Each structure stands twice: as C-alpha cells, then as structure tokens.
Amino acid sequence: MAIVRIKLAAKQHPPFDKGLSERLLTILSGGAERWNAWRRSNPDAYIDLRGADLFSRFGEKITTGASFPLPGLDLHDANLSEANLARLDLTGADLSAAFAVNTDFRSCTLNEANLAGAYMTEANLTLARLNRADLRLACLSHSNLFMAEINGANLRGADLSYSHISRCEFVDTILAQANLEDASLRESDLSRANLEGANLTGASLVEANLANADLDGCRVFGTSVWKTNLDQTRQTNLIITPEGEPELTADNLKVAQFIYLILNNQEIREVIDTITSKVVLVLGRFTDERKATLDAVREQLRHHDYIPVLFDFTRPSSKSFIGTIKTLASMTRFVIADLTDARVVVQEIDTILHGFPGVPIQPLLLYGQKPPAVILDYTDFDTFLDIYLYKDKQELIENLMDQVIAPAERKITDVQRRRERLREQLFSEPAAPAP
Amino acid sequence: MGWLDLLRRRGARKAATGRTDQLLQKMAELYAQLPDNYWPELDIVPFAHRPVFDYLRLCWSGVALDPAFERKSLSSDFKMKGFNLSALFYLMAVALEVPLDRVWAFLSPSVPGADESTAAMFKKIMIMAESGMDEDRCLCGLAAGSVIDPRQGQYNRVRILAHVDNVAFLGQFAGVLVALRSQQLHDAIDVQFGEILEDPGWRS
C-alpha cells in the first residue's frame, strides 16, 4: 500500500489578537463561499478563532429553524481552541491540521469533513456527526464522543486515548493503528470496523458490538470485553502483553484476557490449582427431607480439606446440564453420585465416564432403594467404583472417609501410576542392544 | 576540549568517544581547575558544568553510579549558575541526540510571568552554536549575557533551586530528554508531517 503524507496541526501559536479574530468573524458571517474566496486570496493568513462563539453569533439563524450551513468551509490550519462550533453544519468542511483544543463541536455536522492531522484534544463531540469524515492522524485524546456518529470514517493512526466514546457508531470505520488506550467504548457499535494494529490497552469494550470487525494485531493488555459481541470478529495475533514487555500473542480476545490474568496473578494460579486438586463434585437429587444428608456430606468433605461443589437435580428443567457437567468434571478430583431417587443423574454419569476417564465416580445408595438398571452397564468402567450402601445419615457420615473418600483417592493414585508407567514406556530411551 | 568543540560535533557518538579512564582523569583535572576559572566580572565559572557532564557521559557508557558524586551540590560544589545549567542541558541534548527545539519548548514556561531564564539561555546557545562561533570565551561571554543581553546578564545570577541542586537530578533530567527524543507525531513540537498507509478502497 502507498504511503500518504499528512500535515499535522502546529503546536506553537502567536499571542491572541482580538481585532484579527473579529475581522475574521465578519468575513465568516458572509457565508462559506465568501470565506473560502478570501482564504484563497490570503493563503498565508493566520486564522485565529480562539474562543470565538460561532454558536451565539449565528445562533439566530440556527434557532429560527433554518440551520446555518457552512458546507465546504475552509478552516485548514485554523486555531479553533475553545471556540464554540456547536450545532453548525460543517458538512464537507476542511479542518485539516486545525488546532482545536477544548473546542465545542456538540451536535455539529461534520459529515465528509476533512479533519486529517487536526489536534482536537479535550474537544466535545457529543452527538456530532462525522460520517465518512477523514480523521487520519487526528489527535482526539481526552475528548468526549458520546453518541457520536462516525460511520464509514477513516481514523487510521488517530489518537483517541483516554476519550469517552460510549454508545458511539463506528460501523465500517477504519481505526487501524489508532490509539484507543484507556478509552471507554462501552456499548459502541464497531461492527465491520477495521482495527488492525490498534492499541486497545486498558480500553473498555463492555457491551460493545465488534461483529465482523478486524482486530488483527491489536494490543489488548487490560482490555475489558465483558458482554462484548465478537460474532465473526477476526481475532488473530492479539498482543496480550503491555508495551515494553516481550510480546505474547493469542487468537481470541477473551482467552487472551484470561491467559494474561493467569500468567500475572499468582493468586489466580493458586485458585485454579486449588480448584483442580480439591474440588469434589456431588451429584444427586436432594429433596428437602434429604437435604440434611447432603449438608452433612458437604461438612465432612470440607473437614477433610476438599471443596464440595453440589449439583442438585431436584428442580426439573428442560435445560440440558451436559455442558455444565463437562466444565465441572474437567476441574474435579472425584465425583460422588447419590443414586437414591435420582434417575436423572444417569446421563451425567455417562458423560463423565466417557469424557473424563481419569475421574473416579463413587456412587452412593440409600439402603432399600433400587438403583437404575442402566448402572449395571457402568460396572465395566474402571473408574466407576463399587456402590456404597448406607442405612442412614449417621452411618454415611461415620464411614464417609473409609467408604467414599478413600476408595476414590486410591483410584486416583492407580490412574496416576498407570499414566506414569505408560509415559515411561512411550517416551523413555530404548535400551541398548546386547553386544 | 572546550564545550564549543562539543557543540560543533552534534553526534552523540563523537561526543562520547573518550575512553572511560581518560574521561575519569579529565574529570578530576577539570574539577581541580574550577577555582582557577572563575570570572569575577561575570560572577561565573564558565566551564563549571564540565565535570558533571563528563560524569554523566561515564554513567551513560555503563560506569556504575557514584552515590557520593550524585549527592554533590551543583551550586556550592561545582559553582554552577543558571547559565551553566542551560549549557549543561544543551550538551546533554546534543549528546543524547534530542531535537533541540523540543528541549527548548519543554524548558519554556507555559504560563506568562514564569521564569524563562533557562529556556532563554538554552535558545541563545542554540542560535550561537548554529552560527558557527568558535571562540570559547566569546561564546561563553555571549551566553553569559554581558554582550547581547540588555539586562546585563541577569541570567548569570539565577540561582539553581534547592530541590534540583544535585547531580542526581541531572540523571533524572536525562530520562526526560530520552522521553522527548521518543516523541512522535502530535506530541513532538517540531514534527510537521506524519506518514500513514493509504486506504485505497475507502470512500470509493
């Protein structure tokens, strides 16, 4: 692709000249055509409109119903700092390389306008319309763009850091290589936007719509993506480390967020280790009368330093629990399945046995109750342990360690030893042949 | 070596060609000569900042910081005045290859009435270095304000404020200079144009 050279706003300005500013406003009151002609004949004139209140000056024309259009107004290189341009129609205007610090552009129409290289830090663009505008290399840091329309615009290389961009529309907009560091893009619509190589460090994309957007090569350290729509979003080469650190990339925004969290938070790693080494999943149907049994089992598990996680099938539901069971089983040390009055757990047991062959299942059954017949099929599985029959809560609690926890732990040890043996057979160096 | 020699050689590489042992030796010599270089008519030691600059160059070349030297006072130990501080900033900027306009803009006061002595002196040194003057004494005299400053060199007498009156501050200021050097686009006061990839399909 070809390179474009864009003029940037000057940062050094002469002292304010009120007389000059008044003369310029007089010319401007003649409309865009007269103004542009004057600028063409005075190409080197310094356009000093600092603090000019254009809204008040042309307000009458605005409030009488006929908006005051200044289409194609030539304000390139102008100094518009602290000026009030609210509600003006500046469609197609040229504000390239303009210096507009703390300028009021509220509800201003800037569709198709040229703002390339403009310096608009701390500008107020609330409800402004910037559709198809050219904002390449513009500086909009610390600006307010709440509910602005910026569809189909080009903000390549623009600086929007620390800006308030909530509920803004960026549909089909180019934001490639833009700096969105610590910007708030909450609930903004960025569908089909091109954000290639953009800096999203610390940006909030909470509830934003990024459907079909392109995030290739974005820096996403500390980016918030809660309830963000990432449908068909291109998420490749996302840099999850902050600037200045060795780059670590991932291809999924939410995974990237999680990976960095794990890598940089010892506490989170400990939590995950704790969960995977101590969680005991308890499956069953625990009606009110059997709730006491459950509470006692949970208390005993806690007493033995386990973390009981209960999955209660008491409330019938048409919803499938298989997905949830798979997630829980993947982080579980072993499973206690109470088959008493619980035909519904059969499907879940089946899922665990087939999907997680290393996780032991210790079935329980209240003495005198009949287990589902399909249980017989599970006896072929090595990790489906012998059913422990208990007479009452008291007996279950007294024998929980010997009859429930110990067999499960023995099976875990067996599984681990078997895996180690297999690993040795597969990966150890073959013995040298005898001479 | 006069500091004009350094001015002529803008490149940091040339400015820091001295071997460490040579620099150490020179620094000691310069330090010892400070009392002999006092100009009573201007109340300055024109080269008072040289030992400090040499120390900084040593640090930049990898020599470990000297805590005792870092604590030394610029005004009482080295007899530095505002003039010397500006001259030292200039040498540091040249050595670290920082665009001088950025440094001048950084040193310039942002509110009317604030002290502009450091920035004004820095600008004078910039202009004189660009004009190619090659007499150490002439340059020092001009920079000291006795010739071109109608206020009879008031900048000479600007005292260095207590909270920056130590060598360690200059190490921190070097960090500022490096940050100025890395400025880009709108952040850099001297950059007038930016380059960006074209988007051929946009607005089509």
Side-chain angles (χ1 to χ4, degrees):
Chain A
M1 278 199 285
I3 300 285
V4 188
R5 197 160 182 254
I6 290 174
K7 190 182 180 194
L8 305 175
K11 255 67 86 220
Q12 289 172 297
H13 301 274
F16 178 59
D17 182 346
K18 194 167 173 20
L20 170 66
S21 183
E22 279 301 318
R23 285 196 297 279
L24 291 171
L25 283 168
T26 307
I27 301 168
L28 191 56
S29 61
E33 217 167 289
R34 189 182 154 201
W35 169 268
N36 289 353
W38 180 84
R39 281 216 75 179
R40 277 193 294 275
S41 54
N42 296 275
D44 298 325
Y46 178 62
I47 307 302
D48 195 346
L49 292 169
R50 270 176 275 191
D53 191 349
L54 273 68
F55 178 72
S56 296
R57 185 168 280 254
F58 307 120
E60 197 184 336
K61 294 177 184 178
I62 295 168
T63 49
T64 49
S67 65
F68 183 67
L70 293 163
L73 191 69
D74 186 355
L75 287 170
H76 75 269
D77 297 308
N79 190 340
L80 301 163
S81 294
E82 309 211 355
N84 184 359
L85 281 76
R87 295 173 66 185
L88 294 187
D89 184 355
L90 293 167
T91 302
D94 183 0
L95 284 94
S96 57
F99 190 77
V101 175
N102 201 14
T103 303
D104 192 348
F105 287 104
R106 277 178 295 172
S107 299
C108 189
T109 302
L110 286 155
N111 295 333
E112 310 263 352
N114 183 3
L115 294 122
Y119 191 76
M120 302 166 74
T121 185
E122 293 179 50
N124 191 343
L125 289 138
T126 302
L127 289 161
R129 284 173 287 277
L130 290 140
N131 299 309
R132 295 169 66 81
D134 187 350
L135 286 144
R136 287 176 292 176
L137 291 182
C139 178
L140 290 147
S141 64
H142 298 90
S143 294
N144 189 349
L145 289 126
F146 179 67
M147 289 187 79
E149 285 177 28
I150 316 180
N151 300 315
N154 192 342
L155 287 104
R156 184 178 281 276
D159 184 357
L160 292 141
S161 55
Y162 305 96
S163 288
H164 180 57
I165 321 175
S166 299
R167 300 180 69 185
C168 200
E169 289 179 21
F170 283 105
V171 180
D172 285 316
T173 291
I174 299 170
L175 282 155
Q177 274 136 15
N179 182 8
L180 290 151
E181 189 173 346
D182 286 311
S184 172
L185 291 138
R186 284 182 75 110
E187 299 180 62
S188 283
D189 188 354
L190 292 130
S191 48
R192 296 193 303 277
N194 175 4
L195 287 133
E196 272 181 282
N199 183 1
L200 292 164
T201 301
S204 171
L205 291 164
V206 175
E207 296 187 72
N209 181 11
L210 284 157
N212 294 292
D214 188 346
L215 297 177
D216 181 48
C218 280
R219 191 175 285 279
V220 294
F221 169 71
T223 308
S224 301
V225 285
W226 307 105
K227 284 187 81 177
T228 304
N229 181 4
L230 293 165
D231 186 28
Q232 302 288 315
T233 306
R234 189 178 172 212
Q235 302 173 64
T236 44
N237 307 311
L238 301 174
I239 304 162
I240 62 179
T241 40
E243 223 158 327
E245 280 188 22
E247 287 188 359
L248 194 61
T249 59
D251 286 348
N252 181 297
L253 193 51
K254 291 184 178 175
V255 170
Q257 190 179 32
F258 188 62
I259 288 173
Y260 196 84
L261 198 65
I262 292 171
L263 289 175
N264 290 279
N265 287 281
Q266 180 65 30
E267 300 86 353
I268 298 285
R269 284 206 298 276
E270 283 170 6
V271 167
I272 290 168
D273 288 347
T274 302
I275 286 171
T276 51
S277 63
K278 290 184 179 176
V279 164
V280 175
L281 181 60
V282 184
L283 304 176
R285 188 160 180 263
F286 300 99
T287 52
D288 288 344
E289 55 269 28
R290 302 197 61 251
K291 196 88 163 62
T293 307
L294 165 74
D295 288 340
V297 168
R298 279 205 290 204
E299 191 52 43
Q300 279 298 302
L301 285 169
R302 287 190 196 109
H303 180 68
H304 289 99
D305 209 20
Y306 291 103
I307 301 171
V309 172
L310 168 77
F311 203 97
D312 189 351
F313 293 87
T314 304
R315 289 167 196 82
S317 168
S318 57
K319 187 183 169 188
S320 170
F321 297 119
I322 297 302
T324 313
I325 287 293
K326 278 182 178 172
T327 307
L328 289 171
S330 67
M331 57 173 73
T332 294
R333 187 163 179 82
F334 62 90
V335 178
I336 297 175
D338 194 335
L339 305 174
T340 312
D341 190 24
R343 284 180 172 77
V344 282
V345 301
V346 168
Q347 195 185 1
E348 280 67 30
I349 290 173
D350 191 78
T351 301
I352 295 168
L353 285 171
H354 286 93
F356 304 90
V359 176
I361 298 176
Q362 175 59 63
L364 313 177
L365 187 66
L366 185 63
Y367 191 78
Q369 297 288 321
K370 202 174 169 188
V374 72
I375 290 296
L376 289 171
D377 296 341
Y378 298 150
T379 52
D380 295 340
F381 286 89
D382 193 32
T383 49
F384 191 78
L385 307 176
D386 294 339
I387 297 175
Y388 170 59
L389 293 171
Y390 63 95
K391 283 182 183 164
D392 51 29
K393 182 184 98 180
Q394 189 64 29
E395 190 192 78
L396 174 61
I397 300 311
E398 280 174 7
N399 295 325
L400 193 74
M401 187 65 206
D402 296 337
Q403 301 293 333
V404 178
I405 297 173
E409 286 292 346
R410 277 198 296 274
K411 181 54 67 184
I412 290 166
T413 310
D414 282 354
V415 169
Q416 284 172 345
R417 280 186 187 150
R418 209 165 56 215
R419 281 180 179 168
E420 275 167 28
R421 278 201 302 275
L422 192 62
R423 195 176 293 122
E424 277 172 23
Q425 285 168 5
L426 288 171
F427 301 113
S428 59
E429 290 288 325
Chain B
M1 183 169 64
W3 60 291
L4 185 62
D5 296 286
L6 287 176
L7 299 182
R8 283 200 218 99
R9 304 179 201 170
R10 286 289 182 88
R13 202 171 296 159
K14 283 182 181 173
T17 46
R19 279 172 43 203
T20 304
D21 53 346
Q22 287 173 335
L23 275 170
L24 278 168
Q25 192 183 356
K26 188 161 74 72
M27 199 170 88
E29 286 170 12
L30 287 165
Y31 192 54
Q33 289 169 8
L34 281 179
D36 302 333
N37 282 311
Y38 177 64
W39 289 12
E41 68 276 19
L42 295 170
D43 188 28
I44 61 167
V45 180
F47 308 113
H49 50 278
R50 277 203 207 160
V52 182
F53 180 57
D54 284 335
Y55 167 76
L56 291 170
R57 284 200 295 165
L58 282 174
C59 295
W60 298 338
S61 67
V63 174
L65 298 178
D66 179 348
F69 198 88
E70 295 267 317
R71 282 194 295 273
K72 281 188 185 296
S73 161
L74 301 177
S75 57
S76 57
D77 289 325
F78 295 100
K79 313 299 177 203
M80 279 175 65
K81 294 281 175 67
F83 156 70
N84 299 102
L85 197 60
S86 297
L88 183 54
F89 287 168
Y90 184 87
L91 291 180
M92 289 168 72
V94 171
L96 293 169
E97 295 182 315
V98 189
L100 298 173
D101 282 327
R102 291 186 203 178
V103 185
W104 173 66
F106 177 79
L107 294 172
S108 298
S110 52
V111 288
D115 174 37
E116 59 177 22
S117 58
T118 309
M121 193 61 71
F122 188 89
K123 187 74 173 178
K124 282 182 186 182
I125 296 168
M126 273 175 69
I127 292 165
M128 284 185 287
E130 281 165 13
S131 71
M133 298 181 77
D134 57 358
E135 290 285 328
D136 279 11
R137 280 178 177 271
C138 176
L139 181 59
C140 291
L142 287 169
S146 60
V147 178
I148 59 167
D149 189 340
R151 288 169 287 186
Q152 290 297 301
Q154 66 174 36
Y155 297 147
N156 302 344
R157 301 183 185 91
V158 174
R159 291 181 60 193
I160 298 169
L161 292 174
H163 66 277
V164 297
D165 190 8
N166 54 69
V167 175
F169 158 72
L170 293 163
Q172 292 163 357
F173 188 74
V176 173
L177 291 176
V178 171
L180 286 172
R181 186 177 62 192
S182 62
Q183 283 183 328
Q184 293 179 332
L185 299 171
H186 289 286
D187 291 336
I189 202 143
D190 57 320
V191 174
Q192 295 177 1
F193 291 91
E195 289 185 339
I196 197 92
L197 286 174
E198 195 178 22
D199 294 288
W202 180 61
R203 271 187 180 171
S204 59

